[in-house]
């Protein structure tokens, strides 16, 4: 054994040989590498966006950069960046050996690339190399970084770094970043503001929206980290750090719109950019460097028609100059082709050119109310309902009868009454909007008149998991769905208008779901990028389920709360939705060719949180059957002009289904003691009706006379969508606060 094992001298010799070889290889690489000229890729271009017909929609993305000398950057702000990125900058050789080994190891293993880069390395990458993440590029970066120190001073390197970094909001260089975030030249930046800008370098797409209270948390955490590093390396004292923290986060100003991004174009471009980033390797920084041709699904005419319909509704009903209730009223709307998932039109707000940067169509925050009930019904059709403890689920059809009276006690699948700490009895008594004595009514009738109690009880019997999964399969996103409460079944969740239009499109396409998409092709340097094929449809539910839900929703339009949509003059299915205290009102409707969702809400941009719309438009109560349906009707009438009139597939016969325990046997009268008022009479097909207040909850049309139609100059000023809200009646808990989620 000893003869075959190498001696310590042999091992030492091998080690010395290997070390000498590595040193020699490094020396050779250092000697042969040269500092290249400035990379031409740093010369940025514009991005061109196209409508669905191939015509140009917008040309945007010119890089905003103004180089400054290091003397113009306050020394304390310079140290903000050094503390955050490379505290040993003035003493190191331009590289971090430990960081290099870590990065090389991870790349060699095929894992996620880790930076480990000094400021010198980042300057070299930004100025001389590409943004590719390969081993060869990393080795070039290291060698050039070691050599660049002999050509440039530390001050020149730091100046170049500050001028070439990307900070988000399209800003390249610290001067442009200072203007973009704080509207001041870099020489006026404070230590606290500098700490924020230093934090943007690592995550510009996260930090760029830090003016939004709902997206501020990660920005604040990173800002605090930079100030902590400043104190740790002795550039500010602990007392100074505490003083900056007490003064509060230096909130940046709202993002300013770019040229040619007025009207709806800004929202369309933003939606397309988010889709490109989510479905390819193109980053926010890459897009802002330009050179991309992006072809979208947006139909120029339909976008204009949707915007015109919103404006017409606003002119007819909203008068913010003379009626305080009409101020800060917002509209969000989206229209989707249900057979493909293509987003054909959006209405995001008044426009970037008017200071409204939040896209109302593509953000969550507005509870959907009773428009969620079709997912309850679909889940019941697919999974049945546990009507008696311990028994298997019973089959449910639209003709199944449930208790529709106001204030009933809700039970779970175990037959136990649900608790509610806010109720004097300690039990959950679900409310309707009116005290109508409906008795036991069919689920079809409850959907028509938007009676809450049958659908809350149905949801509990079907089970939260089944209803949630049904909504997810149809196209909603989990992070916009409310947690397990009774209110969940009647709309405390906050999906975007895009997602609701798309999910209803699943019913329209007989249970086949198509992910919503906004980009069909991206071309760079003459070559199309992969990843932009239209999403393939997937079976979300049986065709019989989707067709049955559509049949019930057609009854909503023909006989229930959605009769104002009858003036479309062609087969349509839809659902109204209104939430507690009239904080949001929806109408979502579809034909076989088009699915469109319209949301109306009110929020003061200075105070986060939805406000009651009582009194808006002169209505004492604002329902989804009113202004949202008018927007939907005006748009759909124009958008379907010249399109063939198509009928929905016939729904299968499912029979009577199983009734809730306690329902009267056949032949026993169960009619309500107070009959609902008849719905409003629609105008002639093709005409825009005179909308009257028509409840989307029990009672049908509750106002005996038409509401006033004041003239108005617009639809109110902009506001966010990030509030709290409960939909359709009290549940077991209030809805959680919503946050922004590019949703497309």
């Amino acid at each position: 054994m000893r003869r075959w094992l190498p001696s310590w001298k042999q091992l030492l010799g091998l080690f010395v040989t290997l070390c000498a070889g590595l040193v020699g290889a490094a020396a050779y690489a250092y000697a042969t590498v040269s500092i290249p000229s400035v990379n031409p890729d740093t010369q940025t271009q514009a991005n061109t966006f196209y409508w669905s017909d191939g015509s140009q929609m917008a040309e945007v993305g010119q890089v905003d950069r103004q180089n400054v000398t290091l003397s113009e950057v306050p020394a304390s702000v310079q140290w903000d960046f050094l503390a955050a990125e490379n505290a040993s900058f003035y003493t190191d050789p331009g590289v971090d050996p430990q960081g290099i080994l870590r990065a090389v190891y991870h790349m060699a293993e095929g894992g996620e690339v880790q930076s480990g880069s000094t400021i010198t390395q980042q300057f070299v990458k930004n100025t001389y190399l590409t943004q590719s993440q390969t081993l060869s590029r990393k080795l070039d970066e290291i060698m050039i970084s070691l050599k660049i120190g002999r050509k440039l001073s530390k001050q020149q390197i730091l100046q170049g770094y500050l001028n070439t970094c990307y900070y988000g909001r399209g800003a390249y260089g610290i001067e442009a970043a200072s203007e973009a975030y704080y509207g001041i030249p870099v020489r006026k930046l404070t230590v606290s503001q500098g700490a924020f800008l230093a934090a943007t370098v690592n995550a510009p797409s996260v930090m760029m929206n830090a003016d939004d209270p709902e997206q501020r948390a990660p920005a604040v955490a990173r800002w605090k980290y930079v100030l902590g590093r400043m104190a740790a390396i002795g550039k500010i004292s602990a007392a100074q750090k505490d003083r900056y923290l007490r003064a509060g986060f230096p909130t940046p100003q709202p993002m300013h719109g770019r040229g040619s991004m007025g009207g709806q174009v800004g929202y369309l471009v933003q939606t397309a950019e988010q889709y490109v980033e989510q479905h390819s390797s193109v980053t926010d920084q890459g897009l802002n460097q330009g050179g991309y041709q992006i072809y979208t699904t947006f139909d120029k005419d339909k976008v204009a028609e949707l915007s015109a319909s919103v404006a017409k509704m606003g002119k007819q009903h909203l008068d913010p100059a003379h009626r305080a209730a009409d101020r800060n009223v917002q509209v969000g709307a989206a229209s989707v082709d249900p057979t493909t998932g293509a987003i054909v039109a959006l209405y995001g707000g008044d426009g970037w050119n008017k200071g409204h940067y939040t896209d109302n169509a593509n953000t969550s925050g507005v509870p959907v109310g009773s428009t969620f009930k079709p997912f309850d019904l679909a889940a019941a059709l697919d999974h049945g309902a546990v009507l008696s403890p311990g028994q298997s689920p019973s089959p449910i059809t639209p003709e199944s009868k449930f208790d529709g009276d106001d204030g009933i006690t809700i039970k779970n699948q175990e037959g136990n009454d649900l608790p509610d700490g806010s109720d004097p009895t300690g039990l959950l008594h679900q409310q309707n909007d009116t005290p109508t004595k409906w008795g036991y009514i069919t689920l079809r009738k409850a959907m028509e008149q938007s009676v809450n109690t049958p659908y809350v009880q149905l949801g509990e019997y079907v089970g939260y998991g089944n209803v949630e999964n049904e909504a997810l399969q149809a196209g909603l996103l989990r992070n916009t769905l409310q947690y397990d409460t009774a209110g969940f079944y009647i709309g405390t969740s906050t999906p975007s208008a895009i997602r609701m239009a798309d999910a209803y499109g699943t019913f329209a396409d007989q249970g086949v779901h198509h992910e919503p998409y906004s980009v069909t092709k991206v071309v760079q340097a003459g070559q199309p990028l992969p990843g932009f094929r239209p999403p393939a449809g997937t079976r979300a539910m049986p065709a019989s389920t989707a067709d049955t839900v559509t049949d019930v929703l057609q009854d909503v339009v023909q006989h229930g709360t959605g009769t104002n949509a009858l003036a479309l003059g062609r087969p349509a299915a839809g659902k109204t939705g209104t939430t507690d205290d009239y904080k949001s009102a929806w109408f979502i409707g579809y034909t076989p060719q088009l699915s469109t969702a319209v949301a109306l809400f009110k929020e003061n941009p200075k105070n986060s949180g939805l406000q009651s719309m009582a009194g808006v438009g002169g209505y004492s109560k604002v329902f989804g059957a009113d202004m949202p349906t008018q927007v939907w009707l005006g748009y759909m009438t124009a958008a379907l002009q010249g399109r063939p009139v198509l009928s929905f597939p016939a729904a299968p016969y499912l029979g009577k289904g199983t009734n809730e325990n306690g329902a009267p046997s056949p032949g026993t009268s169960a009619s309500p003691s107070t009959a609902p008022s008849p719905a409003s009479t629609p105008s002639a097909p093709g005409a825009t009706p005179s909308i009257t207040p028509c409840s989307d909850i029990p009672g049908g049309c509750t106002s005996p006379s038409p509401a006033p139609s004041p003239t108005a100059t617009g639809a109110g000023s902009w506001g966010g969508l990030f509030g709290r809200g409960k939909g359709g009646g009290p549940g077991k808990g209030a809805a959680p606060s919503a946050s922004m989620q590019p949703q497309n």
Side-chain angles (χ1 to χ4, degrees):
M1 288 291 293
R2 292 180 61 186
R3 281 189 303 168
W4 294 105
L5 291 174
S7 68
W8 69 270
K9 294 181 179 180
Q10 291 172 317
L11 291 174
L12 179 60
L14 178 61
F15 177 77
V16 171
T17 301
L18 289 174
C19 289
L22 290 173
V23 171
Y28 176 80
Y30 180 84
T32 56
V33 73
S34 60
I35 299 174
S37 57
V38 173
N39 195 324
D41 288 344
T42 61
Q43 306 304 306
T44 58
Q45 307 173 63
N47 292 323
T48 306
F49 293 79
Y50 299 91
W51 295 103
S52 59
D53 64 1
S55 61
Q56 184 173 311
M57 180 172 71
E59 187 173 79
V60 297
Q62 294 288 355
V63 168
D64 182 13
R65 187 203 312 266
Q66 301 89 36
N67 289 336
V68 295
T69 64
L70 194 61
S71 62
E72 294 178 76
V73 183
S76 58
V77 174
Q78 296 177 35
W79 276 106
D80 278 322
F81 285 81
L82 296 175
E85 297 291 322
N86 185 191
S88 63
F89 170 74
Y90 281 108
T91 58
D92 66 37
V95 297
D96 174 8
Q98 291 183 341
I100 292 171
L101 292 175
R102 183 171 62 251
V104 170
Y105 173 78
H106 279 272
M107 284 188 286
E109 290 291 314
E112 181 180 354
V113 176
Q114 295 189 358
S115 172
S117 297
T118 63
I119 278 179
T120 302
Q121 288 175 261
Q122 294 180 59
F123 165 67
V124 167
K125 180 181 67 174
N126 292 342
T127 307
Y128 301 104
L129 302 174
T130 69
Q131 299 294 320
S132 63
Q133 296 178 332
T134 63
L135 183 59
S136 61
R137 204 277 299 152
K138 191 71 176 179
L139 292 174
D140 286 342
E141 174 189 305
I142 293 169
M143 293 304 166
I144 295 172
S145 297
L146 289 169
K147 185 169 283 191
I148 201 75
R150 302 184 62 179
K151 180 179 179 180
L152 301 176
S153 68
K154 288 287 188 179
Q155 289 75 16
Q156 288 175 307
I157 293 172
L158 180 57
Q159 175 179 299
Y161 166 81
L162 294 174
N163 281 326
T164 56
C165 280
Y166 176 64
Y167 298 81
R169 296 193 177 187
Y172 283 82
I174 191 169
E175 174 72 13
S178 182
E179 293 285 356
Y181 286 97
Y182 294 110
I184 58 175
V186 65
R187 66 178 183 274
K188 293 186 177 181
L189 285 175
T190 65
V191 171
S192 184
Q193 292 168 333
F196 172 84
L197 293 183
T200 66
V201 174
N202 274 334
S205 60
V206 173
M207 308 292 284
M208 63 185 291
N209 293 316
D211 58 296
D212 186 333
E214 295 296 328
Q215 300 190 54
R216 191 175 296 167
V220 172
R222 181 66 181 169
W223 166 73
K224 289 181 177 179
Y225 166 79
V226 176
L227 289 178
R229 287 289 300 149
M230 284 283 280
I233 65 174
K235 295 303 175 181
I236 60 173
S237 66
Q240 287 175 310
K241 183 195 74 170
D242 292 339
R243 187 164 65 249
Y244 290 130
L245 293 177
R246 286 195 301 271
F249 179 67
T251 304
Q253 65 185 5
M255 185 168 60
H256 294 296
R258 294 173 284 178
S260 74
M261 298 282 279
Q264 299 306 302
V265 172
Y267 309 121
L268 302 178
V269 167
Q270 184 182 59
T271 300
E273 286 179 338
Q274 291 173 351
Y275 190 87
V276 170
E277 292 179 30
Q278 293 167 0
H279 293 81
S280 71
S281 60
V282 179
T283 64
D284 180 59
Q285 181 176 355
L287 278 176
N288 278 279
Q289 288 179 331
Y292 295 92
Q293 293 80 51
I294 300 172
Y295 296 81
T296 75
T297 60
F298 304 127
D299 185 299
K300 184 177 183 179
D301 292 336
K302 288 182 173 60
V303 170
E305 289 158 356
L306 182 54
S307 185
S309 187
V310 173
K312 182 177 180 180
M313 181 278 294
K315 184 177 182 180
Q316 181 177 348
H317 294 286
L318 303 177
D319 186 10
H322 300 94
R323 187 164 48 223
D326 292 350
R327 295 169 191 163
N328 304 316
V329 174
Q330 303 293 323
V331 176
S335 188
V336 174
D337 182 342
T339 64
T340 64
I343 305 169
V344 298
L346 297 177
Y347 182 84
D350 291 342
W352 286 15
N353 56 315
K354 295 185 178 180
H356 187 133
Y357 299 105
T358 299
D359 182 358
N360 294 346
N362 194 28
T363 187
S364 62
V366 181
V368 296
S370 292
T371 62
F372 193 84
K373 291 174 182 174
F375 304 115
D376 302 333
L377 179 58
L381 294 171
D382 284 345
H383 301 284
V386 178
L387 302 178
S388 298
Q391 293 189 0
S392 299
S394 301
I396 298 295
T397 77
E399 313 315 318
S400 296
K401 293 183 177 180
F402 281 71
D403 192 347
D405 283 346
D406 183 55
I408 66 171
T409 302
I410 302 299
K411 300 179 181 296
N412 59 21
Q413 289 183 341
E414 289 72 40
N416 299 322
D417 295 336
L418 292 180
D420 182 3
S422 63
D423 191 283
T425 67
L427 301 177
L428 174 61
H429 294 89
Q430 180 60 49
Q431 306 298 317
N432 294 321
D433 188 63
T434 67
T436 301
K437 297 293 185 180
W438 290 98
Y440 284 86
I441 57 173
T442 66
L443 293 174
R444 181 184 298 274
K445 186 69 173 180
M447 186 76 77
E448 284 179 13
Q449 301 301 324
S450 209
V451 188
N452 289 334
T453 48
Y455 277 93
V456 174
Q457 186 59 80
L458 175 69
E460 289 291 342
Y461 285 155
V462 174
Y464 176 85
N466 286 330
V467 176
E468 180 193 47
N469 188 63
E470 199 81 24
L472 295 173
Q473 292 294 318
L476 302 188
L477 300 178
R478 188 182 301 276
N479 60 5
T480 64
L481 297 183
Q482 167 69 298
Y483 50 84
D484 187 0
T485 70
F488 168 75
Y489 305 111
I490 49 175
T492 54
S493 298
T494 58
S496 68
I498 289 177
R499 283 288 167 176
M500 288 301 287
D502 180 69
Y504 270 50
T506 300
F507 298 132
D509 200 32
Q510 295 192 277
V512 176
H513 172 243
H514 302 268
E515 272 290 297
Y517 71 102
S518 59
V519 175
T520 59
K521 182 172 64 174
V522 178
V523 177
Q524 183 191 34
Q527 297 297 319
L529 302 185
F532 296 101
R533 290 179 178 271
T538 58
R539 173 62 62 184
M541 63 188 71
S544 59
T545 297
D547 291 343
T548 300
V549 172
T550 294
D551 183 65
V552 173
L553 295 184
Q554 284 184 274
D555 280 352
V556 173
V557 172
Q558 293 169 359
H559 312 296
T561 63
T563 53
N564 282 324
L566 270 175
L568 183 64
R570 61 175 70 212
K575 184 70 186 76
T576 56
T578 304
T579 55
D580 285 356
D581 200 23
Y582 312 102
K583 289 185 177 180
S584 63
W586 289 72
F587 184 75
I588 309 173
Y590 57 92
T591 68
Q593 301 108 313
L594 214 54
S595 177
T596 302
V598 180
L600 187 77
F601 60 96
K602 178 179 177 180
E603 184 173 47
N604 187 330
K606 297 181 180 179
N607 299 300
S608 179
L610 299 182
Q611 299 176 337
S612 173
M613 290 190 291
V616 168
Y619 298 115
S620 59
K621 299 178 180 180
V622 175
F623 296 108
D626 304 325
M627 290 175 278
T629 303
Q630 182 175 340
V631 172
W632 182 91
L633 177 60
Y635 163 71
M636 292 288 281
T637 299
L640 294 171
Q641 185 79 28
R643 300 284 297 275
V645 176
L646 301 180
S647 297
F648 293 108
Y653 176 72
L654 300 179
K656 293 294 185 182
T658 309
N659 297 331
E660 181 184 14
N661 291 336
S665 58
T668 303
S669 174
S671 59
S673 58
T674 304
S677 304
S680 61
T681 303
S683 304
T688 301
S690 175
I691 305 295
T692 58
C694 187
S695 172
D696 67 329
I697 21 196
C701 295
T702 57
S703 176
S705 60
S709 301
T711 58
T713 58
S717 58
W718 76 280
L721 279 173
F722 309 102
R724 298 176 181 269
K726 296 196 299 178
K732 286 179 279 187
S737 60
S739 59
M740 176 172 284
Q741 301 288 339
Q743 304 297 312
N744 63 314

